[in-house]
Every structure is written in C-alpha cells, then in structure tokens.
Amino acid sequence: MRWPRRLMSLLFLIVLLAGPPLVLLTLIGPPINGWPSTAQARAWVQQPLTKQTLTAALAIGAWLVWLMLAYTVAVRILIRLRETSAWLRRLPLPTPLQATASGMAGAAVFGVTTTNVPTTPPHPVSSGPVALEVQASPDEPSEASHKDGIAVSGGWLPHDVAAQVAAAAALVWLRRRRDYQPRPTSRDADLVSLPATVAAVQAALADNPRPPAAPAAPNGITALIDVLPAGGVGLTGAGALPVGRGLLVSALFAGHRHPTISLITTKAALARLLGPAAEVLGRRLPLTIVDNLDDAAQLIHTAHHHADPHTITEDWTSRTARHRQIVLLNGDDGDEPQIKHLAEASVATATTVVALGDWPAGPTWRADSAGHLHNPLHPGRTGPRLCVLDQTAATDLLAIIADPDPTPAEPTAPRAATLAQTPQASRDEPTLQPHAARQRLHLRVLGNPHLLLDGEPLAIRRSAALHILVYLAAHPTGADTAHLTDAIWPGLPRRSLTGRLYTALSDLRGTIRDAGGLPAIDHVDDRYRLNPAHVNVDLWHLNAAIHHAATTHINTHTAWQAILDAYPADLAATRTWPWLDPIREATRRQIIDICVRLATAEPDPHHAFHLLQAGIRIDPYNADLHQRASRALTTLGDHEAATELHNRYQHTLTRAGLDDGTASHPPSSTSIR
C-alpha cells in the first residue's frame, strides 16, 4: 500500500510542521514582543524565576525545537530533490510531466496489495505464425540507449563495440550447447548467467536493434586510430583510465572477430587498468603482455616484417585494411632510450601507441570522463566519443572472450538443486487443469510469444508487458518486483523502474480485463504470478511432459513423442532477452538427456538413430549427439550417411563461428564398441 502510506506520511508531516506554530501563536503569542525594557531587565535580574519568565523560556524552547525539525525536513527534501534531478539528467525520459504522470498512475492502480487482486469483468523447429501484436509505447524509452552507443553501469560503449559484445555472448552459449555431454548424472555449472554488464548490453540491443552495418569493420578501433597522431600520444585527465579500458576492450573484441588487429600491453599498464583481475585474466586474453618497451618495439618490428599481404580485405579503407597493432602502456614505463626506440618503431610500422599519462616522445591529450579527447593545439575541437569503462564493467566484458579458467571448478550440485530459475516440474508449480483446453486464455511462449483469447490473438501494446508475460510463464511460482525489473531492465537502478513496471502491469491487466474480464495475474505480497485457473501455458505442458518421460518406465516412446509434440521451438525464440539463455539451455538439456537415455536403451539401431536425430533437431550444435548419431549410422553400415552428417555438422559450426578444431569426427569402423 504505497500511495496511501505516502499520503498519510505527507499529512502527518504537514501537521507536524504547521501544528506547533499555530498552537504556540494561539495560546502564547509570538515568542518575542519587541526587546525588553530596562525596567523589565532589572526586574528579571532581581527575580528570574517567575511564571511569566518560565512561560517565555518554554515558548522559546518550543520554537527552537520546531526550527530544528523544520531545518531537518528541508535538508532531507533538498537531498532527495538533488538525487532525483541527478538520475533524471542521466535518463532520457520523455518529459518530467509524462514520467510523473505514468508513475502516479501505476502506483494508484497497483499500489494496493490484496490477497488476490481480481480484475473484474539453424535447424530450429518452426516457431509458427506471428500472432501477437506488440506495439512499443512512446513512453517507454530505454535508459541504456543512445543514438551513438549504449550506456551501462560503469561506462559507455559505441554501438559497434556493443554489437561485438552481444555476438561474443551469443557465441558463449553456442559453445556451451556444443560441448554439453548428455549423461544421467550431468552437472550444469556452465548454465550460470553471463556478467551483469554483458546482460545490460544485450538488453539494450534487444530493445533498440540496429541493422548490421556493411562492411562490418571494427569502427570503434578505427575511430580511435584515425584521431591519434603518429608516434604515440599520452592521455591524462579524469577519463584517461576509463578510455584506456575502453581501448583495451574495443581492441580485444575487434581482434576476436578480425585477426588483422592485435594488442600489446605492458604488465604494469594492464594491472593499472584491471586491478587485481589483471594477473589471472591477462593470461586468458588474446593479447601480448611484455615486461618493457624494448620487447614491445621488437614485437611490432617482427609483426611488421612477417605481415601477410593477403590479410588485406576489400571492405576497409587503405589505412585500416592492413594489419593494425596497438601498444598500450604507462607513461612512465621505460627510460628515455626505450621510449625513443618504441616511438621510432611505431612511426615506421604505423603502430598506434597510447600511454596512460604523459608521453615524452609525443603530444599529451586530455581525456574527459565522457570519453572525448581534447588536443591542446585545438582547444575548441573534440574527437569522436570513445568507449569508457570502469574496472568492473571492463572485467565483465573481457570475461566472455577469455579462455576458460584452467583451475578446476568446485563440485556443483545436480541440476535440480542448482537451477532455481529453471522451469521444472515440482510440487510448487501450478497443477495443470484437466479442463485446460476449455480455458479462454492461452499463452504461447515456445516460439514467437503470443497471447490468445478464445483462439484469437490479443494485442499487447507494450513490449514490457509481453516481457512480463513470458517471464512469469518461465517462473510459474511467481516473481517479485525486484526480479521483474532486473530481468526486463538489467543494469539500471530499480528505484527508477518501479513506476514503469507498474505502468506496464496496469496496461497488461487492463487489456486482458477489457477483452475478457479474466484475472490473469495474481498479486500476493508483492509477488506476481500467472493464475493457472485462467491461463493455459504451453511451457507448463512441456515441463509436465518432460517430467513424465523422465520418470516413466512404460510407454517410453509415447512419452517421448509427447515431448516432441509439446516443443515446437525454443522459449521465446524470436527474443534476445539475456535471462532467457539459461532457461532455454536447461530445457534443451532435459530433452536431449531423455533422448540419449532412450537411444542408449534402444536395442533397435534404427530406432536409436531416429531418437538421436530428433535430439539433433532440438539442438543442432551439440557435438555428443552428432558423435552418437555417426556411430549409429556406422553400426548400420551407412558410412556415406555418417560422413555426410559430419560434413553438415562442420558446416553448421563454421557458419556459427564455432569451428575451432573441437568438432566431432565420424568414427571409423574399428572404433565401434
């Protein structure tokens, strides 16, 4: 009950501030009626403790207490106004009036908590036709978006760098799918969500997609190279280290997809940029770490003389087409001869040298906290905005392109104990109603999400409302306000999102109420939950089928077919929301685990192969499924089909960017057990 409590607090504050002065003025009068005369002062000295003087002293004391209270309230109000104005300046809200109005409307509709709020009357399976109309409301701006880049907690990324981050994040999940080995005792330690900064970038791009630019050149790096002078430059100012981290991240992500870019850094500079994470993370990143500047100069000379002329591509400009090297160091790394040697080598090889601090061999520019560079020779001119990151954001982003940690992970609990977020059949999940087919509301979240009322698509006006529906479908036991805001708007402060969440919920409930008069969403103790008595969800039926197939010992093929019938496509297949990936992958693994279990127990090799083939249709990237299917074909004597399956799988991996030499190979006849 937010707004009633706030209203009562406001009334109490008004009474507290206005009541004492009114009482004092009415009963006693003003605290001072002019200055005391000489006779009054002499009388007070002779007899200080009289009824009149005690009354005056008590009145003055009461006025002082009231003044202290008023001062405290005024200070608190100023602090709150300052905080509010600070985050309002950071967020591109439409207008203060619209934001205030939408927040008040949401609080007025959903501020009252009741026990049950009734609102009265590449081998993917086809996701089916689009049935849901989602119209982005004009009052739903994305705080993380900018016309030139993405703002995250701890920094700002240009759009091209953000796109490379999103692509690398998608590749992480594809590798996990490829490397998963279905076993009855499988562990799911690799289903942990990606770092918060990565999720914020993914969410921002999901809400504000941009068509891929052509050519797909690493513009974040070339923008920096184009503005820096030959021979190196030093960076000072409040933005020197954030820009240095942005350069580190931009160069490594660009080099991850474009081998024509390489980064060299000194051990001291890396430690300054990444802090305690530098020692462990540095060994796992695709960069070269040197101890001194002479080693850096030798490396760039060697790379220049051994550069392959065929690495030049047709879609870059002449300056950025050839192999580009970037050297990142501290301004105080090395002595004068080493600095001179490196500067000469960088000019001869067109290498970009960036020093964090003053650079004795060239100019020193100032970097501001927003990522702009200021050349002292051109005081009125600034270059393009560069990527800026703090230590946490930089390490979050670099973690997804770092090689796996060689240290063994601690044993983890089985899947059922570790994946609290994974939709699995349990006693806490809604019981599927026997009359589910007669329910008026049908929520389809497998494939393209859509909501049907009496078989007809129901238009959802706000993208956040659709997001809420899918999230609650994937979490049948419900979610509170914090979970919903963190999932829909990751990386943004919750205090600025509560009003937007209430507005989306209000609009969603109103749409369903106006169309069918059904209480589709329950709200109990600040926890929202789809009402299973009125909403039929396809994901819940899939979970029930998986649970049945995993526990049944009779009619196993019937149970397996029920899973295939209930799984037309991945969860919200057309959406790229970051929280979806762990649940999608956990659901796939449950299905292919059952597939492998049934295929292993199947005495007929033809039936076993068909089971594995169905599993490959569920996850075309999994190496273990392809190895088993190849062995099954070889057992059947169809070596040509086994080779064709292997070649098709290799093509799938190459097309996805996963062809790193770890793909499965078709087994020879001598390797069949």
Side-chain angles (χ1 to χ4, degrees):
M1 300 180 64
R2 289 178 173 82
W3 71 263
R5 286 200 300 266
R6 292 176 179 175
L7 181 59
M8 292 300 298
S9 299
L10 179 61
L11 292 176
F12 177 76
L13 181 62
I14 292 174
V15 171
L16 189 64
L17 291 178
L22 291 176
V23 172
L24 290 172
L25 291 173
T26 302
L27 298 179
I28 302 176
I32 299 177
N33 290 321
W35 293 101
S37 62
T38 306
Q40 289 174 332
R42 188 181 301 111
W44 178 79
V45 171
Q46 294 175 355
Q47 193 175 359
L49 299 178
T50 63
K51 181 179 180 179
Q52 183 178 6
T53 56
L54 289 176
T55 302
L58 290 175
I60 293 173
W63 279 105
L64 291 175
V65 171
W66 177 83
L67 285 173
M68 292 179 61
L69 176 63
Y71 171 78
T72 303
V73 171
V75 170
R76 293 301 303 168
I77 290 175
L78 289 175
I79 292 175
R80 292 298 297 272
L81 288 175
R82 184 181 304 170
E83 293 176 351
T84 303
S85 63
W87 67 258
L88 277 176
R89 285 194 301 269
R90 293 195 301 268
L91 307 182
L93 296 175
T95 63
L97 181 58
Q98 289 176 348
T100 304
S102 62
M104 291 178 64
V109 175
F110 284 97
V112 181
T113 304
T114 61
T115 56
N116 187 0
V117 180
T119 54
T120 57
H123 293 266
V125 185
S126 173
S127 60
V130 177
L132 174 66
E133 299 177 16
V134 182
Q135 304 167 3
S137 177
D139 60 348
E140 289 190 72
S142 174
E143 286 87 343
S145 65
H146 186 275
K147 64 177 181 179
D148 296 324
I150 301 297
V152 298
S153 177
W156 183 88
L157 296 85
H159 264 294
D160 59 288
V161 179
Q164 291 167 356
V165 170
L171 207 60
V172 169
W173 284 106
L174 288 179
R175 287 197 186 98
R176 293 177 178 181
R177 293 173 62 177
R178 178 197 64 187
D179 299 337
Y180 175 68
Q181 297 184 353
R183 296 290 186 274
T185 58
S186 295
R187 307 300 191 204
D188 284 332
D190 63 336
L191 285 186
V192 62
S193 299
L194 299 183
T197 307
V198 179
V201 172
Q202 290 178 292
L205 291 179
D207 291 337
N208 299 274
R210 280 182 45 163
N219 299 320
I221 290 299
T222 58
L224 178 63
I225 292 174
D226 289 341
V227 301
L228 295 181
V233 65
L235 298 182
T236 60
L241 291 182
V243 168
R245 296 186 194 97
L247 168 62
L248 177 69
V249 168
S250 300
L252 291 182
F253 273 92
H256 190 63
R257 299 181 65 86
H258 302 274
T260 53
I261 290 181
S262 60
L263 179 68
I264 301 171
T265 184
T266 62
K267 188 180 299 183
L270 190 65
R272 188 178 176 192
L273 291 174
L274 300 183
E279 183 175 357
V280 175
L281 193 59
R283 296 194 299 265
R284 299 163 48 203
L285 289 172
L287 55 79
T288 302
I289 304 175
V290 296
D291 293 324
N292 54 65
L293 303 191
D294 285 338
D295 292 342
Q298 182 63 33
L299 282 173
I300 63 177
H301 269 305
T302 302
H304 177 71
H305 290 303
H306 291 83
D308 185 358
H310 298 291
T311 59
I312 298 179
T313 59
E314 298 178 356
D315 53 2
W316 287 11
T317 63
S318 59
R319 185 178 183 191
T320 58
R322 62 180 180 272
H323 184 84
R324 299 300 305 177
Q325 293 187 105
I326 302 171
V327 179
L328 186 60
L329 46 86
N330 279 327
D332 56 358
D333 284 341
D335 52 24
E336 185 175 349
Q338 290 177 325
I339 293 174
K340 183 179 180 181
H341 184 203
L342 178 60
E344 292 174 350
S346 65
V347 172
T349 60
T351 298
T352 302
V353 176
V354 178
L356 304 175
D358 293 325
W359 178 235
T364 296
W365 293 359
R366 182 178 63 85
D368 61 28
S369 58
H372 295 287
L373 300 183
H374 300 268
N375 185 349
L377 298 180
H378 305 283
R381 191 183 309 169
T382 59
R385 189 177 185 185
L386 306 176
C387 181
V388 286
L389 299 167
D390 63 10
Q391 282 189 1
T392 301
T395 53
D396 277 0
L397 297 177
L398 292 175
I400 65 172
I401 60 170
D403 293 332
D405 192 343
T407 58
E410 295 184 2
T412 57
R415 176 185 308 157
T418 57
L419 293 180
Q421 298 266 329
T422 302
Q424 301 197 21
S426 70
R427 62 183 182 181
D428 295 327
E429 289 193 356
T431 303
L432 296 178
Q433 304 294 328
H435 59 281
R438 299 193 300 271
Q439 289 173 306
R440 300 185 61 195
L441 282 172
H442 292 257
L443 178 59
R444 301 290 181 256
V445 295
L446 296 173
N448 187 63
H450 57 277
L451 180 64
L452 300 176
L453 176 64
D454 297 331
E456 295 295 328
L458 187 62
I460 305 296
R461 288 184 293 269
R462 293 175 176 268
S463 59
L466 171 68
H467 208 150
I468 292 169
L469 278 176
V470 178
Y471 190 87
L472 294 180
H475 299 80
T477 57
D480 58 21
T481 302
H483 289 144
L484 288 171
T485 53
D486 289 348
I488 301 174
W489 300 285
L492 299 179
R494 292 176 184 169
R495 66 177 182 273
S496 66
L497 303 171
T498 305
R500 291 178 62 184
L501 177 65
Y502 290 156
T503 302
L505 280 164
S506 174
D507 186 81
L508 175 61
R509 279 177 153 180
T511 299
I512 298 174
R513 180 187 64 245
D514 295 341
L518 297 175
I521 301 177
D522 294 338
H523 183 202
V524 181
D525 297 330
D526 195 36
R527 194 168 185 85
Y528 297 91
R529 179 175 179 265
L530 291 179
N531 189 331
H534 299 285
V535 184
N536 180 26
V537 183
D538 59 350
L539 179 62
W540 299 352
H541 289 276
L542 173 65
N543 291 333
I546 292 174
H547 178 70
H548 175 69
T551 56
T552 187
H553 298 286
I554 58 175
N555 297 326
T556 54
H557 290 286
T558 302
W560 171 245
Q561 188 61 44
I563 292 177
L564 294 182
D565 294 340
Y567 191 75
D570 290 338
L571 173 63
T574 58
R575 306 291 164 168
T576 56
W577 302 322
W579 64 267
L580 286 169
D581 290 314
I583 301 178
R584 282 173 177 164
E585 180 61 9
T587 304
R588 286 193 206 97
R589 291 183 179 185
Q590 288 177 299
I591 298 175
I592 64 177
D593 281 353
I594 296 173
C595 164
V596 169
R597 179 173 66 86
L598 294 178
T600 303
E602 176 58 58
D604 187 343
H606 288 90
H607 289 164
F609 172 73
H610 288 309
L611 285 167
L612 294 171
Q613 195 175 35
I616 289 175
R617 284 196 296 269
I618 298 295
D619 192 349
Y621 298 101
N622 186 264
D624 188 85
L625 286 174
H626 283 82
Q627 289 173 349
R628 291 173 182 269
S630 294
R631 286 197 294 266
L633 288 172
T634 306
T635 301
L636 293 171
D638 197 344
H639 299 280
E640 182 179 352
T643 301
E644 182 182 354
L645 176 66
H646 169 72
N647 293 337
R648 189 165 57 245
Y649 179 54
Q650 288 283 67
H651 178 69
T652 299
L653 295 182
T654 302
R655 186 172 53 189
L658 292 171
D659 190 11
D660 53 6
T662 60
S664 62
H665 296 277
S668 62
S669 57
T670 58
S671 64
I672 302 300
R673 296 182 180 179

